[in-house]
């Protein structure tokens, strides 16, 4: 059985591959994806809509994880990342801290903390 | 010897007490305090300047930790919090994810991820 940390690493690899079906298959039916400065969405449909918006606009996606910790009980994963998106020929970079809950081998919660202005200024710049 | 998670909890209690000398005493000499959307400061002098600015302007400080995880090797602590500041008779609330490194019973790194706009809009509102 895959550990929670390995599941989150595989999920991030699927995001980088822009493989939305693989991404959705790693989530519980009632998953919550909470982009803290923006909105929280629920369920496969909500995540699909939220992710397709930015995965479609990016020609390449690289999420560089600098640190990741799994809780002793194996249910929670934390990571620090720099999420990079190539959009319109330029790379946009956002420092992110994520917290993830894993249940029955699937991601049940994915909450990302970041500065929305850091993203918006690069998008407009 | 106090565990890393307990040290971080005691540090947050000292922040809430606005006891700057106690806060500084919990840090390594070469501490890095990295407010991700803003700046990183280094050393006791840097932290003292950064913290006194907002502790002095707040009449009350409450940091509500909703989740905290210590790494298996006891060197790293992660937490999710809502940091609340009473400023000018109003409460300002900021969701934060923090990552902390502990060395020899002192905090060596304190890095907070949050949305600066969430803070600024409440300050101006």
């Amino acid at each position: 059985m895959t550990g929670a940390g390995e599941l989150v690493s595989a999920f991030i690899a699927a995001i980088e591959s822009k493989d939305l079906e693989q991404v959705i298959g790693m989530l519980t039916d009632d998953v919550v994806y909470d982009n803290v400065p923006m909105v929280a969405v629920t369920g496969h449909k909500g995540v699909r809509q939220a992710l397709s918006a930015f995965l479609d606009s990016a020609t390449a996606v690289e999420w560089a994880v600098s640190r990741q910790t799994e809780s002793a009980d194996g249910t929670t994963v934390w990571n620090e990342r720099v999420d990079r998106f190539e959009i319109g020929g330029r790379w946009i970079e956002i420092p992110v801290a994520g917290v993830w809950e894993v249940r029955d081998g699937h991601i049940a919660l994915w909450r990302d903390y970041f500065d929305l202005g850091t993203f918006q200024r690069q998008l407009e710049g």
Side-chain angles (χ1 to χ4, degrees), chain A:
Chain A
M1 188 166 160
T2 309
E6 292 168 281
L7 176 64
V8 169
S9 297
F11 182 82
I12 288 173
I15 292 270
E16 292 178 315
S17 303
K18 300 176 64 180
D19 185 341
L20 196 52
E21 293 317 306
Q22 193 187 358
V23 163
I24 297 295
M26 294 180 177
L27 307 173
T28 63
D29 289 342
D30 61 347
V31 63
V32 173
Y33 169 33
D34 185 5
N35 248 331
V36 173
M38 303 173 73
V39 289
V41 297
T42 304
H44 289 189
K45 188 177 171 187
V47 174
R48 191 185 297 272
Q49 287 178 337
L51 288 186
S52 62
F54 75 76
L55 290 184
D56 289 352
S57 67
T59 44
V61 177
E62 292 177 8
W63 288 10
V65 176
S66 56
R67 185 196 308 251
Q68 184 162 295
T69 295
E70 185 179 322
S71 65
D73 65 3
T75 63
T76 308
V77 177
W78 302 78
N79 56 27
E80 285 189 279
R81 322 187 303 264
V82 177
D83 292 0
R84 304 178 71 232
F85 303 92
E86 188 186 44
I87 298 177
R90 288 180 304 130
W91 282 94
I92 290 177
E93 297 190 348
I94 319 163
V96 178
V99 56
W100 315 69
E101 283 176 10
V102 171
R103 194 176 68 227
D104 301 329
H106 289 74
I107 291 167
L109 172 72
W110 168 22
R111 181 178 295 131
D112 276 350
Y113 291 81
F114 62 98
D115 180 51
L116 188 58
T118 298
F119 177 70
Q120 290 172 330
R121 278 190 299 274
Q122 293 176 79
L123 205 61
E124 296 159 5

